Amino acid sequence: MTWLSTLLALAVAGVSITSALPSPHEDQRWAINNRRAPAAHEDQNWVINNRRDVAGLFKRTNGTTVCSLASESEPVSPPPKSNIWLGLSNEEAIGLLRFVHDPKTGLNLTAYDNATAWDNYITVTEAIMPNKTDAVKYLDTDSKEVPSRYARVVVSVGATEEPYLTEYMVGPLPVTEKTTIAPFTYTYNRDGTSKTPNYLKDSSAISKWRQSLGAKMQDITLDLLGTVLNGSTTDTSALQSIDPLQKEGDRIIQWVQFRGVADKKKHYSTSTLLPQGLYLKLDITGRVAADWKLKAILYNNIMYKSIEEFREATKKPEFVRLAKTVEGDWARTVKQGAALPLDELPPPLSVQAHKRWTVDKKDKYVTWMDFSFYIAFNRDVGITLYDVKYKGERIIYEIGLQEAIAHYAGNDPKQSGTAFLDGYYGFGPNYWELVKGYDCPTSASFLDTVLHQNGKTTTNKDSICLFEQDMGYPISRHTTSAYAGVTKNIGFIVRGISTIGNYDYLFDYVFYIDGSIEVKVRASGYIQSAFYANNEDYGYQIHDHLSGSMHDHVLTFKADIDIHGTANSFEETKIVSKAIEYAWSNGPVNTMALERHILETEDEGKINYAPNGASIFTVVNTDTPNKYGVPPGYRIMPGSGTPIHVAVVDSYTLKESADFGTHHMYVTKQKDTEPRLAAASNNMNPGEPVVKFGKFFDGESIKQEDIVVWFNLGMHHVPHSGDLPNTVMTTAQSSVMITPHNYLAMDASRQTFQQVEVIIGDKEAKVENFGKVIPDCSAPLGREYPALTDYTGASTINKMPFLEYAG
């Protein structure tokens, strides 16, 4: 590559070209498609809050100054206290499984790999988060007494005519002679137990029975759908069920829809774009296949009582045949369409010379600027942040996802009967390895996530990333005839992506230099579409056989905010129109004014954002007013997207399991017995969930108490043709800002070096850079295009070798 082409490539990529001119013996370092190892990085002495010698950040190569890349070093700052929210260690998991499988426990367990539907076996094993009461005592005092660790163990009980799920609490850990096992009940408020029916315990047998139905009607499906289902490897149709199951009296009902099978010669998961207009109503009550019944068949909005009745109807001349579903490249994410002008050239890249944050990967402790926090991770909800401090003081004890609803609607029983509670499937197991250079910058710090399920430990490598980002607009600026002042808006992002079935959820926790925190969700992936026939009132026809199926995404988060301690209040400040007569006015003046109200009890704690954005909602501490008498706080306000809650009132599918989806936001008193507003097993029995969020509201005071805010993100999604083949994150996003409100004396972004003042002079402008380091170097751009050949996904290891046959 010549020096001129190097210069052009850097200019196109948006990288500083200072010192990029050729030097003697140019070494081809800039070949964009050449991957080469970076030069050795000098060891740096990373000490938090100390500015180190910046000269070590840059080095000379053949006369050219070259930036040392951030990925070459991982600065570490030890945590002030150990992370008490970490998941189970390998040693704890092995000891726990050995303990619960001991016959002395009376659980009658079979190793998961050897179990049948009629056995009892362990599914989930994970750490129970310490109670806030114990955690705060440990964090805020000189106490070295770490809260005892306990595990939650989920048992799938199959050795009974009515299978169920139940949970146990085991601890303290690691296992010693003091370790005990007891029912895990204190977080479940339905009836004091965790027991819930497991209607899908026999899912394998149900699947085989459904395939036998398909075989009995394959002549019909071949005629109407062009596909067959009989349980063979050559099936060209599959059945997709409603979720959750329905009850009619004491009967368990499952509606299923025929869907096309994606081309097995290709790797695209297009099946949710291949609905077929044929539906079966099944009664799957009980555990004996002979008792299961085909109750009805639905085609073109006409119900048939049996396969034979349906077959005879298809032979009549007046029978109307619907269009067949046909897969094609329209459903695949492969590059297609005309090339965009200049698009083959490198786009702007995020290149960082050195990391300005620290990560302790063992304790999952992170610092950036004036922020610090711990990262926790679990099966149901993925990432949670704990002990979030700003300027050395806790502002949030806990913030993270609680549950996610995807509630569908449509003319057919499949769409109308589907309302996913994604915590049942688990966000955690679906945090796959991130794609470097695309999901996150290559200069990010990456963390692995580890889960223990079904007697195995699964590690998803590099599934959380942390990085800085220029947010693309200044955080503040002003221009006059005398000067221009502009401050860069640099954010720090904690990111993970969970792919649950057809949808990819991207979660960002964004920290800003003004003390704000943004919680953002974006969605992509394949829509779960509907068959086009008779669905006009529920979506657009977006392809030959396809209707975009309207649905709500509602993702509920918990924010346990602590402002100068745990005793806080929730204030609503309304912006109201008023007619006011002033001392100086001739009669009333139409104007606006503020009306402030502190919520008294949980009875006021179900909140919707005001029309026209005419309310300010703030967690405040009225006991610690500033020098002007104003209580300091953090405001909760909508960010990107439109604030939503579930549009369906009194959902017949989710029933009492959707109590947290009826409003934009909720405020309750913090209780150690109410750590989460849902449970994964609620999906099995939504009419009688083991955690009922509605019961959190029992009239208790929330005035100068330890309070929790629960807020909803999401979108009303009515898919259109632009959702093919995948939904784009441009519009499929939603966020909430949690931002200082009379909490600081002034704007904290004034502290940053990353600002400039250009003072206008008679001959030339004077530039004030405030002492920041300005790199005079070029960067090896090839590093920003990793080969990705080492992308692996997940790694699973059996943790129960003591149960295996040893010969």
Side-chain angles (χ1 to χ4, degrees):
M1 177 179 280
T2 66
W3 71 267
L4 181 57
S5 60
T6 296
L7 197 62
L8 289 173
L10 290 170
V12 170
V15 177
S16 171
I17 59 174
T18 309
S19 298
L21 293 177
S23 58
H25 313 296
E26 172 66 64
D27 68 350
Q28 305 299 316
R29 184 178 181 86
W30 303 102
I32 198 71
N33 293 318
N34 284 352
R35 297 186 72 237
R36 62 190 299 275
H41 190 279
E42 297 175 4
D43 289 337
Q44 303 296 338
N45 181 25
W46 289 90
V47 180
I48 191 66
N49 296 327
N50 285 344
R51 295 192 66 211
R52 58 192 177 85
D53 179 13
V54 297
L57 298 174
F58 312 104
K59 49 183 178 277
R60 303 288 297 182
T61 301
N62 294 333
T64 300
T65 305
V66 179
C67 294
S68 296
L69 292 185
S71 57
E72 297 176 33
S73 61
E74 288 282 356
V76 176
S77 180
K81 297 261 185 164
S82 61
N83 187 343
I84 56 177
W85 305 278
L86 287 176
L88 299 176
S89 68
N90 287 336
E91 294 74 17
E92 286 175 325
I94 292 172
L96 173 65
L97 288 170
R98 181 178 285 111
F99 178 84
V100 296
H101 281 86
D102 190 318
K104 294 178 183 178
T105 64
L107 299 181
N108 188 27
L109 296 175
T110 300
Y112 181 85
D113 287 346
N114 301 327
T116 70
W118 287 86
D119 290 315
N120 306 337
Y121 52 80
I122 300 295
T123 58
V124 177
T125 48
E126 66 180 9
I128 297 173
M129 296 299 97
N131 292 332
K132 182 181 180 182
T133 305
D134 299 327
V136 168
K137 179 181 177 182
Y138 168 71
L139 294 169
D140 294 352
T141 68
D142 294 330
S143 172
K144 296 182 180 179
E145 185 177 345
V146 179
S148 298
R149 284 172 63 79
Y150 286 81
R152 164 180 167 252
V153 177
V154 181
V155 179
S156 177
V157 178
T160 174
E161 291 294 333
E162 296 182 354
Y164 59 92
L165 299 169
T166 191
E167 301 184 14
Y168 293 89
M169 182 170 67
V170 180
L173 298 178
V175 172
T176 66
E177 67 278 358
K178 296 181 180 180
T179 299
T180 61
I181 182 170
F184 183 34
T185 60
Y186 74 88
T187 67
Y188 300 114
N189 65 4
R190 181 193 60 195
D191 56 9
T193 74
S194 62
K195 183 177 178 180
T196 194
N198 185 0
Y199 296 120
L200 291 178
K201 183 72 170 179
D202 299 300
S203 57
S204 178
I206 293 170
S207 178
K208 291 180 180 178
W209 175 70
R210 296 188 320 197
Q211 289 166 355
S212 72
L213 295 178
K216 293 176 183 178
M217 55 190 302
Q218 61 184 344
D219 59 316
I220 305 175
T221 61
L222 188 60
D223 173 30
L224 299 182
L225 310 180
T227 55
V228 295
L229 167 67
N230 54 33
S232 73
T233 57
T234 59
D235 280 354
T236 46
S237 266
L239 294 175
Q240 186 181 25
S241 169
I242 58 170
D243 188 1
L245 298 174
Q246 297 173 0
K247 286 185 178 181
E248 293 183 358
D250 61 352
R251 312 305 293 176
I252 306 302
I253 301 300
Q254 180 182 62
W255 276 98
V256 293
Q257 179 182 20
F258 281 78
R259 284 186 178 266
V261 174
D263 187 342
K264 296 176 182 177
K265 296 179 182 178
K266 301 183 182 295
H267 54 263
Y268 301 103
S269 54
T270 60
S271 62
T272 60
L273 295 182
L274 305 176
Q276 298 170 308
L278 181 59
Y279 311 85
L280 307 179
K281 181 180 182 181
L282 310 175
D283 182 338
I284 57 170
T285 308
R287 307 199 67 182
V288 180
D291 295 335
W292 300 334
K293 298 289 189 296
L294 170 64
K295 302 291 290 183
I297 299 171
L298 178 69
Y299 183 82
N300 199 14
N301 220 24
I302 300 173
M303 291 276 279
Y304 302 91
K305 296 180 180 178
S306 66
I307 295 174
E308 187 55 39
E309 181 184 348
F310 186 38
R311 180 178 287 112
E312 290 303 312
T314 64
K315 297 175 182 178
K316 296 178 180 179
E318 65 270 22
F319 184 84
V320 177
R321 284 167 167 75
L322 301 174
K324 293 181 173 67
T325 298
V326 180
E327 186 186 12
D329 278 348
W330 62 269
R332 301 177 184 124
T333 55
V334 63
K335 182 186 179 303
Q336 50 192 298
L340 300 173
L342 302 180
D343 186 44
E344 73 279 9
L345 297 176
L349 296 173
S350 176
V351 178
Q352 187 153 14
H354 58 287
K355 292 182 177 177
R356 308 193 313 159
W357 65 91
T358 72
V359 184
D360 185 311
K361 291 192 173 183
K362 178 179 177 291
D363 267 299
K364 304 293 191 296
Y365 177 71
V366 180
T367 69
W368 177 76
M369 302 298 157
D370 274 338
F371 285 102
S372 66
F373 53 88
Y374 296 86
I375 298 176
F377 190 83
N378 78 8
R379 181 236 174 239
D380 292 354
V381 300
I383 294 172
T384 302
L385 306 183
Y386 284 95
D387 197 32
V388 180
K389 290 185 176 180
Y390 178 59
K391 296 185 179 296
E393 185 172 351
R394 181 185 307 115
I395 55 172
I396 298 176
Y397 171 75
E398 174 187 359
I399 186 165
L401 180 68
Q402 293 284 291
E403 184 56 280
I405 296 171
H407 200 304
Y408 287 77
N411 180 69
D412 66 71
K414 171 64 177 70
Q415 301 303 319
S416 184
T418 296
F420 296 114
L421 292 168
D422 284 331
Y424 172 75
Y425 300 96
F427 282 88
N430 297 294
Y431 267 67
W432 300 108
E433 180 180 356
L434 296 161
V435 180
K436 298 178 178 67
Y438 294 85
D439 289 326
C440 315
T442 59
S443 57
S445 294
F446 290 87
L447 302 176
D448 299 344
T449 57
V450 179
L451 291 171
H452 308 281
Q453 293 189 112
N454 306 331
K456 298 178 176 62
T457 292
T458 299
T459 300
N460 284 334
K461 171 185 146 184
D462 294 346
S463 48
I464 297 175
C465 68
L466 307 94
F467 59 95
E468 277 191 309
Q469 178 174 297
D470 188 316
M471 304 308 291
Y473 61 95
I475 195 168
S476 67
R477 74 172 321 283
H478 187 60
T479 304
T480 72
S481 60
Y483 88 108
V486 186
T487 303
K488 282 182 175 290
N489 188 7
I490 307 300
F492 180 70
I493 299 174
V494 179
R495 173 173 293 172
I497 302 175
S498 182
T499 301
I500 298 188
N502 52 304
Y503 259 110
D504 296 58
Y505 293 98
L506 185 151
F507 298 97
D508 277 350
Y509 295 87
V510 188
F511 297 82
Y512 294 90
I513 55 175
D514 69 338
S516 296
I517 300 172
E518 182 178 18
V519 182
K520 177 171 282 190
V521 178
R522 298 178 176 91
S524 187
Y526 288 93
I527 61 171
Q528 179 182 273
S529 57
F531 194 68
Y532 78 94
N534 308 301
N535 206 56
E536 296 84 358
D537 292 339
Y538 305 93
Y540 305 107
Q541 184 168 350
I542 58 177
H543 205 264
D544 296 342
H545 66 275
L546 202 61
S547 172
S549 181
M550 67 182 298
H551 55 284
D552 282 349
H553 290 285
V554 176
L555 299 97
T556 309
F557 287 78
K558 176 181 182 179
D560 186 342
I561 298 172
D562 290 341
I563 304 299
H564 301 325
T566 59
N568 292 168
S569 297
F570 193 86
E571 181 180 60
E572 179 181 7
T573 303
K574 294 182 178 179
I575 301 168
V576 297
S577 176
K578 283 190 173 182
I580 300 176
E581 186 169 351
Y582 300 100
W584 48 263
S585 65
N586 294 319
V589 175
N590 290 333
T591 185
M592 56 185 173
L594 300 179
E595 291 182 353
R596 300 179 176 90
H597 172 63
I598 298 288
L599 273 61
E600 296 283 344
T601 72
E602 291 174 326
D603 294 337
E604 300 179 81
K606 298 178 181 180
I607 300 164
N608 283 324
Y609 292 114
N612 196 33
S615 280
I616 298 169
F617 299 101
T618 317
V619 176
V620 298
N621 190 333
T622 58
D623 292 337
T624 61
N626 63 20
K627 65 180 181 180
Y628 308 111
V630 179
Y634 258 71
R635 178 183 178 184
I636 297 95
M637 60 185 291
S640 59
T642 302
I644 79 155
H645 52 75
V646 175
V648 179
V649 177
D650 295 331
S651 166
Y652 92 102
T653 52
L654 290 182
K655 299 180 173 64
E656 292 189 60
S657 291
D659 287 349
F660 52 85
T662 59
H663 292 72
H664 294 139
M665 183 165 47
Y666 307 86
V667 182
T668 64
K669 184 177 180 179
Q670 192 281 331
K671 295 180 182 177
D672 289 344
T673 56
E674 296 175 347
R676 185 180 166 204
L677 54 65
S681 59
N682 282 4
N683 185 74
M684 275 289 120
N685 199 18
E688 300 178 65
V690 293
V691 176
K692 295 185 177 183
F693 182 58
K695 293 181 72 172
F696 284 27
F697 298 86
D698 49 10
E700 291 187 275
S701 171
I702 52 174
K703 187 175 182 179
Q704 286 306 102
E705 300 282 354
D706 193 356
I707 61 176
V708 176
V709 177
W710 319 80
F711 61 87
N712 282 320
L713 301 181
M715 62 177 176
H716 302 299
H717 192 185
V718 183
H720 58 95
S721 57
D723 286 284
L724 296 179
N726 278 182
T727 293
V728 295
M729 295 185 182
T730 319
T731 54
Q733 60 177 273
S734 176
S735 75
V736 153
M737 300 291 298
I738 303 173
T739 186
H741 197 74
N742 297 312
Y743 184 81
L744 302 168
M746 61 181 295
D747 166 29
S749 73
R750 297 304 85 221
Q751 294 177 260
T752 183
F753 289 99
Q754 306 308 315
Q755 56 180 300
V756 68
E757 280 191 359
V758 183
I759 303 167
I760 300 170
D762 293 335
K763 295 183 179 180
E764 66 176 23
K766 177 185 176 183
V767 179
E768 174 59 70
N769 281 305
F770 299 101
K772 62 175 168 287
V773 175
I774 299 176
D776 184 15
C777 59
S778 38
L781 299 186
R783 284 289 300 272
E784 306 308 312
Y785 289 82
L788 301 175
T789 53
D790 58 349
Y791 185 87
T792 57
S795 173
T796 300
I797 299 173
N798 195 328
K799 289 298 181 183
M800 297 197 294
F802 54 89
L803 293 172
E804 293 179 351
Y805 177 67

